[in-house]
Amino acid sequence: PSRISSRDAVITHPRVRRVCVPFGGFSAAAPMGFVFRKDPCGVVCVTVTYLLVLYADFVVIRYLVPAYDASGWSTVHLLLFNTIVSFIIISHIRAVLGDPGQVPITSTKLDFSEAHLHGKSKDDSSDDAMGENSWTLCNKCETYRPPRAHHCRTCRRCIRKMDHHCPWINNCVGEFNQKFFLLFLLYTGVGCVYAFILTLAAWISKFGSKEVNSSAVVCCVFLIVECILFFLFVLLLGCDQLQGIFEDSTQVEQVQRKTPHRNPKSKTALLTEVFGRGHKCLWLLPFTPRLSNSTRSHWDVA
């Protein structure tokens, strides 16, 4: 394939609403399908996550639900808790395997010898003075990337509106999967609170009135510790994510101190960019969001 000078490519950026770059053939307006990162740390964290979720479900079904047989609430608790567990797993799978917003690699090779010659090899080395709405060049991917996209060293790709790389989902949190990451945090927190209340209520009503085997005590104590630790963990992560959404800033931008002035938006508009334009009740379902007007952008390559 022919090679194009990176300097010439930057100069030929048209400053129009529908951005066209002079090579390749991709549209970056929608997720690109499923991805899987072969990162050992991420794979271990994902495996541990599922083991802990399944352990909590086992303890609830094996030891806690039978404690409510006399009151007739056992079936209700069984259905509710397993619904929460299902939403946790679905949200997590969508966050793990979903495309976070990978910038496609163009078919035409770019000549980055000039950029490398001048020592511009950092993630944001090709940022120019055209402002935050300009396209930049990534020397690692050797391709164009849209505004607010950053290179992830673990994923080895540029990610649109990258917030951070999370080992617990073995993926980046970006424009297309942030909703599922937030839902995973939400349902994990709800599941922790629910399991904690079920354990305490069952202990007071049944376990305290009769002798129980030691395995039930050990499992329930471990479940309580797990619920407390992970509730605090997801609470901190969730608050941090919401703060970034409401400030219209990502963790990468905050670390790099790249938070230029943007037109103020309401909190509802900012949440809509993450969860989609559907009814607010649909925001709580782990399904693909419909992109809002501000995020539905087509970048065609001629």
Side-chain angles (χ1 to χ4, degrees):
S2 61
R3 299 183 68 85
I4 302 175
S5 170
S6 59
R7 177 182 296 179
D8 295 337
V10 174
I11 295 174
T12 55
H13 272 305
R15 301 182 185 181
V16 293
R17 288 187 178 180
R18 188 178 183 84
V19 180
C20 296
V21 289
F23 59 89
F26 64 83
S27 175
M32 299 177 61
F34 294 107
V35 297
F36 180 76
R37 313 296 182 191
K38 298 179 181 180
D39 177 45
C41 178
V43 172
V44 171
C45 289
V46 168
T47 303
V48 171
T49 299
Y50 288 127
L51 290 177
L52 291 174
V53 172
L54 294 177
Y55 170 80
D57 195 34
F58 166 76
V59 174
V60 170
I61 294 175
R62 177 66 177 84
Y63 297 112
L64 300 181
V65 169
Y68 297 92
D69 288 338
S71 61
W73 284 92
S74 58
T75 303
V76 175
H77 290 312
L78 179 64
L79 293 176
L80 287 178
F81 188 79
N82 279 275
T83 299
I84 295 173
V85 169
S86 299
F87 280 3
I88 292 175
I89 295 176
I90 294 174
S91 300
H92 191 260
I93 290 176
R94 297 299 300 271
V96 172
L97 301 179
D99 174 21
Q102 292 184 146
V103 178
I105 302 297
T106 58
S107 57
T108 303
K109 298 291 291 183
L110 285 175
D111 185 2
F112 277 74
S113 58
E114 295 182 11
H116 291 303
L117 181 63
H118 290 81
K120 298 178 179 180
S121 59
K122 295 182 180 180
D123 176 35
D124 290 309
S125 58
S126 54
D127 291 347
D128 53 20
M130 293 166 56
E132 67 159 341
N133 292 323
S134 65
W135 283 58
T136 56
L137 288 170
C138 177
N139 294 337
K140 297 183 177 68
C141 295
E142 295 195 348
T143 186
Y144 281 107
R145 58 185 175 192
R148 303 186 70 182
H150 299 275
H151 186 87
C152 175
R153 297 179 180 178
T154 304
C155 297
R156 298 180 180 179
R157 292 290 294 273
C158 286
I159 308 297
R160 292 179 56 182
K161 203 174 179 181
M162 174 183 169
D163 188 79
H164 69 285
H165 184 91
C166 179
W168 294 103
I169 64 172
N170 192 29
N171 202 354
C172 279
V173 177
E175 183 173 349
F176 293 145
N177 69 344
Q178 188 175 24
K179 169 184 176 176
F180 306 120
F181 180 69
L182 286 170
L183 290 181
F184 167 68
L185 298 179
L186 172 64
Y187 288 118
T188 299
V190 173
C192 289
V193 173
Y194 196 2
F196 183 82
I197 294 175
L198 284 178
T199 303
L200 291 183
W203 188 275
I204 295 174
S205 63
K206 184 176 181 180
F207 293 168
S209 61
K210 61 175 63 176
E211 184 179 355
V212 294
N213 58 59
S214 58
S215 61
V217 175
V218 173
C219 289
C220 289
V221 169
F222 186 82
L223 178 61
I224 290 178
V225 174
E226 176 187 344
C227 290
I228 295 175
L229 293 179
F230 277 88
F231 175 77
L232 295 176
F233 180 66
V234 299
L235 179 64
L236 293 176
L237 281 179
C239 291
D240 184 70
Q241 287 289 298
L242 290 177
Q243 180 182 0
I245 292 174
F246 293 147
E247 294 179 355
D248 197 10
S249 176
T250 65
Q251 288 189 19
V252 174
E253 293 170 342
Q254 293 173 4
V255 171
Q256 296 179 347
R257 300 180 184 273
K258 292 185 177 181
T259 54
H261 175 73
R262 302 187 179 97
N263 294 328
K265 302 177 184 178
S266 65
K267 293 183 178 180
T268 302
L270 292 171
L271 288 174
T272 301
E273 292 183 1
V274 176
F275 290 96
R277 295 182 300 160
H279 194 278
K280 292 181 176 59
C281 293
L282 299 178
W283 289 1
L284 300 178
L285 299 179
F287 301 119
T288 302
R290 291 177 292 174
L291 297 180
S292 62
N293 292 331
S294 59
T295 58
R296 187 191 285 117
S297 304
H298 293 276
W299 295 308
D300 296 336
V301 181

